[in-house]
Amino acid sequence: MTTPFLDANFALNVALLLMLLAIALAVVRTRSLLAAILLMGVYSFVVAAWLMVMDAADVAFTEAVVGAGISTIVLLGAILLTHGEVVRVNWRLQVVPAILVLVVGGVLIYAAGGLPNFGDPASPANSHVGRIYLETTYGDIGAPNVVTAVLASYRGFDTLGETTVIFAACVGVALMLGFGPRVDTAPTVDVMGDHHVVLRVISKMLIPLIVLFALYVQFHGDLGAGGGFQAGVIMAVAVILHAMIFGLGETTKAFRPGVMRSISAFGVVLYTGVGIVCLVNGGGFLDYDFLFTPQVEAMIPPGLLGDPDKPHHWGQHFGILFIELGVLLTVASTMVSIFYGFAGRTIEAIKAERGS
Amino acid sequence: MSWLASHFNYVIVVALMMAGLFIVFSSGNLIKRMIGLALFQSSTGLFYISLSKVSGATAAITLDAGSVDGKALASQLDPAYVQQFGVDGVVYANPLPHVLILTAIVVGVATLAVGLAIAVRVREAYGTVEADEIEALSRVTAEQAEPAR
């Protein structure tokens, strides 16, 4: 190997990983759940920074918005409904788990000796299927971002499964925590009558920008880092910010819980629908090359699409556009529904406490 | 290069996994356990991404063949190395683990929410999320139900 190994990149890698280890040990030690949750938020941001060092721009983006954003909100909602402190455990009861964990860790570190060197371009993982995707994607799909192309086109079926899992989580949380606050009972905030005017004015300006950024991430996904998963979470964050600043009552009027759940299902339907259209046109399931039929081409005014290198790229572009839209709808509405589930439960708990 | 330098990432990944596993094993608090599971899951992601790292590579976003950016990136590396491992003169990171971990992160937060929802319901039923107290309470309930039958 002729490239420098102990370069600045590797030094950053080591520094960030040691920070992660320190944060993880702090999470193990702390008895305050609030501290643990905030430390996990910090952990996610450090992971996102580390992922940029690893050249995984798309994953870094996802980790930053999901790990530091949504996870923290959901965990905070959960401790609000339970209890913020962990009961002290007798140290004798921790000896057996510690021994077990040390044994498992020892075996894994021993086994790590058989893994390829860090950064090895000739390792089995990097030299076979990963390399083939890099070589063929631009010719097959016409999308520069290989990660999005593999996610949405080559492995579109896989992503359909993951979108369905997210929809199932939406249904699961709704079944366990109820269907969110009822629109007429959720509290509203007197917008003019409190100290948070500056916060409200600034948020009012920020929320449209957040949505605009989400749309940019969505439609720029096949050119640069981004895509439906990231954009969906960013869009949900805009709605959650609105609920935090203006009160749940105002937000549920604009984004009704019932509509959110329907959209979550519709996203999966849209994704599956694209696959079925491909089937009807004579291709395989989710084979986007069959989306751009001569009939579709005849409907589009000439000159609008420019002059693509290969005609089937338009089918791939349409397919990725629509399935990413389905992913966006499902992810955004699921995250909002989960937030409504926890927030609505909190309102009921407060009411029950006041009533008794 | 020494073994520790070339396998440093794997050692840290295993240590993070051990931290997560220890929380899951030793903590009786259901919310803390979910945090431990999140830590464990995150370490798996770190392992995949560590494997996908290629020295001197750039993010897997295809540059036009012979573009200025591509040439600038390639000029920092040994030409023979670029020739052997690059695609059209640019060395890219392996995109496949990125795809797997990207979706795993989003699915992970969705399953985390389901787990926490279960913890909330457990708290409503038993008044606590500590596993030991729940077990004691359910034993009492079972003993009370016994004579009635």
Side-chain angles (χ1 to χ4, degrees), chain A residues 13 30 125 131 144 176 345, chain B residues 9 32 62 85 94 121 124:
Chain A
N13 169 43
T30 180
R131 193 181 156 82
M176 275 183 288
R345 205 72 175 180
Chain B
N9 281 41
K32 189 83 190 265
T62 320
F85 299 112
N94 182 0
R121 289 305 296 268
E124 285 173 5

Side-chain angles (χ1 to χ4, degrees), chain A residues 302-320:
Chain A
L304 189 71
L305 292 180
D307 188 24
D309 304 336
K310 289 182 185 174
H312 71 253
H313 282 177
W314 287 114
Q316 292 288 346
H317 283 312
F318 280 172
I320 292 175

Side-chain angles (χ1 to χ4, degrees), chain A residues 242-280:
Chain A
H242 186 273
M244 283 176 169
I245 300 294
F246 295 97
L248 209 52
E250 292 297 319
T251 310
T252 46
K253 273 183 211 155
F255 306 92
R256 289 179 175 268
V259 176
M260 286 294 117
R261 287 196 302 280
S262 311
I263 291 176
S264 183
F266 177 72
V268 181
V269 171
L270 179 64
Y271 199 139
T272 321
V274 172
I276 291 173
V277 168
C278 296
L279 274 181
V280 170

Side-chain angles (χ1 to χ4, degrees), chain A residues 2 10 13 27 30 43 55 63 82 87 112 115-119 125-126 130-131 144 146 151 162 176 223 345, chain B residues 5-7 9-10 18 32 42 51 53 55 57 60-62 78 81 85-86 94 103 105 118 121 123-124 130:
Chain A
T2 49
F10 186 71
N13 169 43
V27 172
T30 180
Y43 178 93
D55 310 309
E63 180 68 42
T82 55
V87 171
L115 287 167
N117 287 349
F118 175 68
N126 293 342
R131 193 181 156 82
V146 184
L151 180 96
E162 266 136 10
M176 275 183 288
L223 303 174
R345 205 72 175 180
Chain B
S6 62
H7 289 70
N9 281 41
Y10 308 130
M18 283 160 71
K32 189 83 190 265
S42 165
L51 278 178
K53 171 72 180 171
S55 292
I61 297 170
T62 320
D78 183 13
Y81 180 78
F85 299 112
N94 182 0
T103 49
I105 291 171
I118 294 172
R121 289 305 296 268
R123 149 88 185 193
E124 285 173 5
E130 297 288 339

Side-chain angles (χ1 to χ4, degrees), chain A:
Chain A
M1 197 162 128
T2 49
T3 49
F5 188 77
L6 285 165
D7 53 358
N9 210 317
F10 186 71
L12 261 177
N13 169 43
V14 171
L16 290 169
L17 284 176
L18 288 176
M19 275 169 80
L20 288 180
L21 192 61
I23 296 168
L25 291 179
V27 172
V28 171
R29 281 183 58 83
T30 180
R31 278 180 57 220
S32 159
L33 282 175
L34 182 65
I37 290 166
L38 295 181
L39 281 170
M40 284 307 281
V42 177
Y43 178 93
S44 285
F45 264 125
V46 178
V47 169
W50 176 81
L51 287 166
M52 279 312 293
V53 177
M54 294 290 110
D55 310 309
D58 287 83
V59 198
F61 205 156
T62 315
E63 180 68 42
V65 291
V66 171
I70 296 286
S71 290
T72 312
I73 291 170
V74 174
L75 280 164
L76 286 176
I79 60 161
L80 199 61
L81 285 165
T82 55
H83 192 65
E85 195 89 340
V86 177
V87 171
R88 189 185 292 277
V89 182
N90 190 342
W91 68 269
R92 287 190 187 83
L93 293 175
Q94 298 193 328
V95 172
V96 176
I99 292 171
L100 214 60
V101 164
L102 285 173
V103 169
V104 173
V107 169
L108 284 177
I109 288 178
Y110 171 71
L115 287 167
N117 287 349
F118 175 68
D120 183 5
S123 72
N126 293 342
S127 52
H128 297 292
V129 64
R131 193 181 156 82
I132 290 167
Y133 280 129
L134 285 170
E135 282 166 356
T136 58
T137 296
Y138 198 59
D140 281 355
I141 315 283
N145 187 349
V146 184
V147 175
T148 301
V150 175
L151 180 96
S153 188
Y154 288 116
R155 290 180 171 244
F157 199 63
D158 202 11
T159 310
L160 174 61
E162 266 136 10
T163 313
T164 314
V165 170
I166 291 166
F167 168 66
C170 173
V171 175
V173 172
L175 286 176
M176 275 183 288
L177 295 184
F179 293 101
R182 278 181 42 212
V183 174
D184 51 334
T185 61
T188 52
V189 181
D190 179 14
V191 175
M192 297 311 289
D194 68 342
H195 319 299
H196 301 303
V197 176
V198 174
L199 209 56
R200 284 184 217 293
V201 171
I202 298 292
S203 303
K204 215 170 190 170
M205 289 192 278
L206 266 181
I207 288 168
L209 288 178
I210 295 173
V211 174
L212 194 66
F213 180 58
L215 290 173
Y216 168 77
V217 170
Q218 168 77 14
F219 294 111
H220 202 251
D222 49 355
L223 303 174
F229 286 100
Q230 294 95 325
V233 177
I234 295 171
M235 215 164 246
V237 165
V239 177
I240 293 169
L241 179 65
H242 186 273
M244 283 176 169
I245 300 294
F246 295 97
L248 209 52
E250 292 297 319
T251 310
T252 46
K253 273 183 211 155
F255 306 92
R256 289 179 175 268
V259 176
M260 286 294 117
R261 287 196 302 280
S262 311
I263 291 176
S264 183
F266 177 72
V268 181
V269 171
L270 179 64
Y271 199 139
T272 321
V274 172
I276 291 173
V277 168
C278 296
L279 274 181
V280 170
N281 285 352
F285 189 67
L286 294 171
D287 188 354
Y288 309 140
D289 287 349
F290 289 85
L291 277 178
F292 200 68
T293 54
Q295 289 92 325
V296 175
E297 201 173 358
M299 279 192 289
I300 295 168
L304 189 71
L305 292 180
D307 188 24
D309 304 336
K310 289 182 185 174
H312 71 253
H313 282 177
W314 287 114
Q316 292 288 346
H317 283 312
F318 280 172
I320 292 175
L321 185 73
F322 281 114
I323 69 113
E324 290 271 24
L325 194 63
V327 171
L328 169 90
L329 293 174
T330 298
V331 171
S333 53
T334 296
M335 295 307 161
V336 171
S337 294
I338 289 172
F339 173 72
Y340 280 168
F342 280 94
R345 205 72 175 180
T346 314
I347 292 165
E348 276 172 31
I350 292 167
K351 275 186 187 155
E353 215 161 79
R354 280 186 191 153
S356 60

